[in-house]
Amino acid sequence: MHKYLFAVSLLMICAASYAQKEEICYVADAESVIREHNMDFHTMDLQVRFAPEDGAVFGHVTYTLSPLAVQADSVFLDGPGILIEKIQLNGSATRFHTDSAGITIYFDPPLIREQEYTLDIDYSAYPKKGIYFNGWHVANTDSETDPTVIRKQIWTQGQGTDNRFWIPCYDTPNDKLMTSTHITFDAQYTVVSNGKLINKTTNTDNTITWDYSMLHPMATYLIMIAIGKYDTLQFRSKNGITTTQYYYPGTHDYAMNTYSYTAEVMDFLETETGFAYPWETYANVPVQEFLYGAMENTTATIYSDYFYQDANTRTDKDYYPINAHELTHQWFGDYVTAWSNSHQWLQESFATYYAKLFRKYLEGDDVYAWMRRDEMLAAFDLEDKNNYPMAHAKAGSQRIYQKGSYVLDMMRYVLGDAAFRLVINDYLHAHPYGNVESHDLEMQCMRSLGVNMHWFFEEWVYHAGYPVYQVSYTIDDALAVHMHILQTQQGDAFDMPVHLQVHYENGMFSDTLVRIAMDTFDIVLKNTIGDKVAFVLFDPGTMVFSRVHFDKSYRELRYQAFNAPMLMDRYDAIEAMTNTAIESKRDDLIALYYKESFFGIRAEIISQLAAETDKKSIALLKAALLDSDPRVRRAVLANIQAIPKPLQKDLEAMLDDPNYVNAELALYRLTQLQPDKKDVYLQRTERKKGANNNIRITWLVLACQDHPEKYINELTSFSSAGYEFRTRIAAMSGLQNLNYCDAQVAANLLDAACSTNNRLASPARNALIQFRKEPKFKKIIDDYYAAHAWDDWQTNRLKPIFQ
């Protein structure tokens, strides 16, 4: 009840300011125009088979459809590069024309509105987008003992508009249809697609046909197929939905680590939104070489197996936040879908936000606050580069993910928990399996609460930027605080509710809520406590997405670091101590380290004490090397510039740290700081591999510095097509570090540069460009390139290297 009353006061403050604010011009956005279409597609029935060694797709797709126009004499389907063999309307051949973009199908007589028709298309394709064939030209694949060895897989990635490269379709999200997929493939493999598995038919040619079906409509970019060798785990949520989690045979322990909290995520999202899971099933499928982190295909998320982990990698790449993000999309993105890219924040911001809320639910307020700060810092970078708003096709990922998540936090801050949940629940009910844009969410506030939130959407959704506050204060003879606040950003002042807190030496504090809507704001905060002011907080917890410049004395910072109720206010005070002389802060930092348990604060303290030789500081670093959080241990490794004798054994023990990032960093830093013991460290870590071979590759680079003839071939092999892309990237970086290139390295790099995965192709191209600056390497690379035949698509991808 208290929180709701507090929220009402925020709303009253902000609503009072709306009439005074002038609107700024919008940034032009060509993609905000929603694509026109003359046909409503009702269902898709897709039959497909593959020749993976050739990268070939052979398909038959049947649509039921009806005109949206009064009459329709043609329809256009996206399908660049697709070879059409036959098209039939209601069983009879019909005329069509193909061009570089797709297929125009002609109807004579024209189709009539409100009548349903059936369209059948036989086709084939050799796509380089939308569907990917990995590992089919490599001899050794699918290892049960080495998860970094390449696997034979087929998987799709339809977002943004790439399913058109392997299915002729209307590939824009403003039309939705129900799908059935029938995939025929080698019986040794598992096939996953959207919806429920209805049937499996074993065929006489050692193939199986897998039949999947959806019960509700979705956009075509969410159609998926994943094929590989998998076993499964199943989890049942409280709503009765059984989710299927796919994993690689021989890696059951990885699966148990990766899929922890899977059932809990679905339960949490239903509780938090008040809205039942809108589909009939759900699955997670790991794949190699994935273009992104994960993709929220309806009922079946495909994700990069970089996140498929053992227990030692969980701190650095735990899958459950990704799992929560992608599952949230089943509501925000799959169930309600943005009309166009201009409103993608309605999908990505919500997925980021609810994943953050789930982490708060599991790990507490401090983790939540830390994530919010990370979001703000990430978004600042893009905000300072251009002025695209969130509701814009060119907004950029840091806006539609991180900033958007923060904006939803602020929306909840303004509305209050109960009101925010009500709006979101009504918003989901208002658009069942439909399309939305930003104004739909804005207007839902009016429909659900009678509250005009246009001022908020104007500032945070339809325009870019953020407030920059310059804060100062003085104290008068009556111990009242006179606060002076300037907004110093370019452009208009932002209008936001902000809390001002005055904390006193006796531990009490006063809290005043104000509306700051002008460039200059002054207020006197009377001292009703009657005690001496210890420190003042502007926007405690940083509820407003903003930069704040607020200079404070060391005395104030010390009080704030020890006494501020919220984590980030304490962290900010400690971080602000960076330039304070060590003698003035040493004892305080040590005391704060033992007072605080959160890794971020401990890591910051370590960074300020790492160069110390004082016995008390050394004792703290020694304790930090035994901390249960690997990120605290890592902070010592990352910040020391010498190895104090009392820490020698503790630092060397990090070579056996269970966290693979720490073990690799220990090997690198110890050999860097004590090169005379390099051979000892190499001998001690010779059998370690790590995650994505990170320890082994660093070991090989260090060993090759002295004995290249012994180890260069192994390092080179890691850059080959026989390994997943992160292993290859690390090996390529190591070869560049050694300035080594031979014909095999050139072959591996050119193969990688042709990859459809730009996260592999881009560093490979950069490595080749760098190597070609040296005449001896240029000849090796150019000779290899000239001696081999390349397809046109490969030649186009390699052009930047040889220009």
Side-chain angles (χ1 to χ4, degrees):
M1 186 67 177
H2 173 72
K3 288 185 178 179
Y4 184 72
L5 289 174
F6 166 69
V8 170
S9 66
L10 282 176
L11 282 170
M12 291 172 65
I13 285 175
C14 294
S17 70
Y18 171 61
Q20 302 173 29
K21 185 172 178 64
E22 295 181 2
E23 296 181 12
I24 309 168
C25 293
Y26 298 99
V27 178
D29 184 2
E31 292 188 45
S32 66
V33 178
I34 299 170
R35 181 182 179 183
E36 292 183 353
H37 59 120
N38 66 343
M39 204 69 65
D40 181 16
F41 290 85
H42 304 153
T43 66
M44 169 196 286
D45 189 272
L46 176 67
Q47 301 173 44
V48 68
R49 56 190 176 87
F50 307 105
E53 294 84 358
D54 300 323
V57 179
F58 306 98
H60 176 94
V61 61
T62 301
Y63 291 106
T64 61
L65 69 165
S66 59
L68 293 169
V70 175
Q71 290 188 337
D73 60 5
S74 64
V75 67
F76 179 80
L77 297 181
D78 301 297
I82 290 180
L83 306 173
I84 301 298
E85 298 165 13
K86 181 173 63 174
I87 300 180
Q88 293 180 310
L89 178 69
N90 289 347
S92 299
T94 188
R95 189 165 58 92
F96 63 90
H97 170 75
T98 61
D99 58 27
S100 60
I103 309 102
T104 303
I105 306 168
Y106 300 98
F107 308 121
D108 186 14
L111 307 190
I112 301 171
R113 181 180 170 85
E114 296 184 355
Q115 291 192 24
E116 187 172 83
Y117 300 84
T118 300
L119 193 66
D120 287 276
I121 305 172
D122 291 296
Y123 69 95
S124 60
Y126 295 81
K128 295 296 180 287
K129 288 183 178 180
I131 190 166
Y132 302 88
F133 302 88
N134 293 321
W136 297 95
H137 297 105
V138 179
N140 298 315
T141 65
D142 294 274
S143 169
E144 290 198 8
T145 58
D146 186 352
T148 66
V149 169
I150 202 68
R151 300 175 184 276
K152 285 184 169 69
Q153 295 176 335
I154 302 172
W155 46 263
T156 61
Q157 170 55 33
Q159 194 178 30
T161 54
D162 283 358
N163 276 338
R164 66 182 64 189
F165 291 97
W166 67 282
I167 310 171
C169 59
Y170 178 75
D171 197 16
T172 304
N174 66 338
D175 188 57
K176 292 187 172 187
L177 74 177
M178 288 189 290
T179 66
S180 298
T181 49
H182 316 274
I183 305 103
T184 300
F185 200 72
D186 187 327
Q188 299 179 72
Y189 291 82
T190 299
V191 176
V192 187
S193 191
N194 308 91
K196 280 193 171 183
L197 178 62
I198 304 301
N199 190 45
K200 286 170 59 177
T201 303
T202 301
N203 306 310
T204 57
D205 59 353
N206 198 35
T207 63
I208 293 176
T209 299
W210 303 67
D211 302 314
Y212 285 88
S213 183
M214 292 286 296
L215 299 179
H216 300 286
M218 64 178 179
T220 52
Y221 78 86
L222 296 164
I223 296 169
M224 64 78 66
I225 291 175
I227 300 174
K229 293 183 177 179
Y230 295 105
D231 289 334
T232 61
L233 292 172
Q234 291 189 324
F235 299 100
R236 189 174 180 86
S237 296
K238 292 177 182 178
N239 59 9
I241 297 289
T242 297
T243 63
T244 303
Q245 316 303 316
Y246 291 84
Y247 69 93
Y248 300 141
T251 60
H252 183 268
D253 289 347
Y254 277 61
M256 294 304 293
N257 281 301
T258 302
Y259 296 125
S260 58
Y261 308 117
T262 293
E264 291 87 342
V265 172
M266 185 173 286
D267 295 336
F268 171 83
L269 290 170
E270 287 200 336
T271 299
E272 184 62 33
T273 62
F275 195 91
Y277 179 68
W279 310 99
E280 58 271 24
T281 187
Y282 188 65
N284 280 289
V285 190
V287 301
Q288 285 184 335
E289 309 304 289
F290 197 56
L291 308 182
Y292 310 105
M295 176 61 205
E296 67 277 7
N297 310 291
T298 311
T299 75
T301 286
I302 291 176
Y303 71 94
S304 169
D305 68 2
Y306 171 75
F307 295 102
Y308 185 69
Q309 75 229 342
D310 68 12
N312 293 337
T313 64
R314 293 194 64 171
T315 299
D316 299 301
K317 53 177 186 175
D318 205 325
Y319 182 61
Y320 91 77
I322 310 296
N323 198 350
H325 179 106
E326 305 306 332
L327 187 55
T328 301
H329 272 307
Q330 300 298 315
W331 283 263
F332 301 93
D334 297 6
Y335 171 73
V336 290
T337 308
W339 280 107
S340 69
N341 286 340
S342 299
H343 304 280
Q344 262 200 326
W345 79 275
L346 291 171
Q347 300 173 179
E348 299 302 345
S349 300
F350 274 92
T352 307
Y353 173 69
Y354 280 105
K356 183 175 64 178
L357 284 186
F358 185 66
R359 287 198 67 182
K360 178 182 180 181
Y361 166 76
L362 280 185
E363 301 182 55
D365 290 341
D366 287 353
V367 169
Y368 184 72
W370 192 256
M371 291 178 68
R372 291 178 70 250
R373 177 60 59 87
D374 281 346
E375 287 176 341
M376 189 168 70
L377 294 177
F380 276 159
D381 182 57
L382 193 57
E383 286 286 308
D384 293 339
K385 287 180 180 177
N386 60 57
N387 67 337
Y388 292 118
M390 282 203 318
H392 196 286
K394 295 182 179 179
S397 61
Q398 293 104 312
R399 283 198 182 95
I400 65 173
Y401 286 80
Q402 288 96 337
K403 183 182 179 183
S405 172
Y406 211 106
V407 167
L408 290 173
D409 264 322
M410 290 193 292
M411 184 175 170
R412 191 168 188 153
Y413 165 67
V414 170
L415 292 175
D417 286 348
F420 178 84
R421 285 179 169 176
L422 180 63
V423 168
I424 299 307
N425 183 267
D426 288 348
Y427 167 77
L428 290 169
H429 276 100
H431 306 281
Y433 304 99
N435 291 97
V436 290
E437 52 96 24
S438 301
H439 286 97
D440 290 318
L441 182 60
E442 176 191 331
M443 290 307 299
Q444 196 62 59
C445 297
M446 178 62 73
R447 292 188 179 99
S448 297
L449 305 173
V451 172
N452 190 331
M453 288 288 283
H454 187 64
W455 65 273
F456 184 90
F457 278 72
E458 280 291 315
E459 288 189 344
W460 297 109
V461 177
Y462 308 138
H463 298 96
Y466 56 89
V468 179
Y469 298 109
Q470 183 72 47
V471 182
S472 61
Y473 72 92
T474 58
I475 300 175
D476 64 21
D477 292 340
L479 299 182
V481 172
H482 295 247
M483 293 199 71
H484 179 61
I485 300 157
L486 298 175
Q487 292 195 50
T488 62
Q489 73 277 0
Q490 292 184 347
D492 289 356
F494 277 72
D495 181 356
M496 281 297 288
V498 178
H499 284 265
L500 309 175
Q501 286 184 357
V502 180
H503 289 254
Y504 299 91
E505 291 186 357
N506 64 6
M508 299 180 70
F509 69 92
S510 63
D511 186 295
T512 304
L513 178 64
V514 297
R515 172 178 61 85
I516 300 177
M518 306 297 289
D519 291 334
T520 303
F521 182 87
D522 291 286
I523 188 171
V524 177
L525 303 174
K526 294 181 179 180
N527 189 335
T528 59
I529 305 298
D531 195 37
K532 189 174 181 182
V533 174
F535 61 96
V536 175
L537 293 178
F538 174 87
D539 187 24
T542 319
M543 302 308 297
V544 179
F545 185 93
S546 63
R547 289 190 192 271
V548 179
H549 302 288
F550 192 174
D551 293 333
K552 298 179 181 181
S553 68
Y554 184 78
R555 171 187 169 276
E556 292 170 293
L557 294 176
R558 183 183 183 282
Y559 267 108
Q560 183 173 325
F562 276 100
N563 299 293
M566 303 180 76
L567 172 87
M568 294 315 303
D569 297 320
R570 302 194 301 276
Y571 173 83
D572 287 342
I574 294 169
E575 187 181 43
M577 295 176 180
T578 299
N579 296 323
T580 301
I582 191 64
E583 293 79 10
S584 301
K585 66 181 179 180
R586 181 190 296 117
D587 290 345
D588 289 333
L589 289 177
I590 292 171
L592 286 164
Y593 179 91
Y594 290 108
K595 179 179 181 291
E596 297 281 356
S597 60
F598 189 73
F599 86 92
I601 286 185
R602 286 190 161 189
E604 173 59 30
I605 291 169
I606 288 166
S607 73
Q608 296 188 39
L609 295 176
E612 271 276 272
T613 57
D614 181 85
K615 289 183 178 180
K616 290 183 286 188
S617 297
I618 295 296
L620 181 144
L621 296 177
K622 191 178 184 69
L625 287 168
L626 299 175
D627 197 282
S628 61
D629 193 316
R631 293 165 294 187
V632 176
R633 304 194 298 272
R634 188 179 306 160
V636 181
L637 282 170
N639 286 285
I640 58 168
Q641 299 303 313
I643 299 181
K645 194 169 183 179
L647 297 182
Q648 180 83 36
K649 289 184 178 180
D650 301 281
L651 286 165
E652 289 177 347
M654 292 290 287
L655 293 167
D656 298 313
D657 196 283
N659 181 277
Y660 301 133
V661 174
N662 286 1
E664 179 194 4
L665 183 61
L667 176 59
Y668 176 76
R669 292 305 315 277
L670 288 170
T671 55
Q672 180 187 49
L673 296 172
Q674 292 194 150
D676 57 315
K677 297 190 70 176
K678 177 180 179 179
D679 289 342
V680 173
Y681 299 142
L682 289 175
Q683 183 177 4
R684 182 166 167 177
T685 55
E686 187 170 7
R687 297 185 181 277
K688 295 182 180 295
K689 294 183 70 174
N692 305 99
N693 294 296
N694 70 311
I695 301 172
R696 183 61 182 171
I697 289 172
T698 294
W699 190 98
L700 288 169
V701 172
L702 293 169
C704 282
Q705 291 171 352
D706 303 313
H707 304 286
E709 71 286 352
K710 288 185 178 181
Y711 303 111
I712 199 67
N713 288 340
E714 183 183 352
L715 180 60
T716 299
S717 72
F718 279 130
S719 70
S720 75
Y723 289 91
E724 55 79 35
F725 80 98
R726 292 183 189 272
T727 293
R728 297 183 73 181
I729 291 170
M732 289 188 294
S733 178
L735 291 164
Q736 283 185 274
N737 181 274
L738 294 168
N739 197 32
Y740 181 86
C741 180
D742 61 14
Q744 188 58 59
V745 171
N748 294 345
L749 291 178
L750 286 165
D751 171 84
C754 291
S755 173
T756 52
N757 179 359
N758 198 49
R759 291 188 292 175
L760 172 62
S762 181
R765 284 193 296 267
N766 292 338
L768 286 162
I769 291 168
Q770 188 64 35
F771 277 132
R772 288 183 77 249
K773 291 179 180 179
E774 293 195 34
K776 63 178 180 178
F777 296 147
K778 182 178 185 297
K779 185 176 188 311
I780 291 170
I781 295 166
D782 292 359
D783 286 352
Y784 185 92
Y785 179 73
H788 291 77
W790 304 90
D791 292 334
D792 289 344
W793 67 271
Q794 292 174 312
T795 301
N796 288 332
R797 289 185 177 169
L798 296 175
K799 270 183 183 178
I801 299 163
F802 297 99
Q803 287 176 345

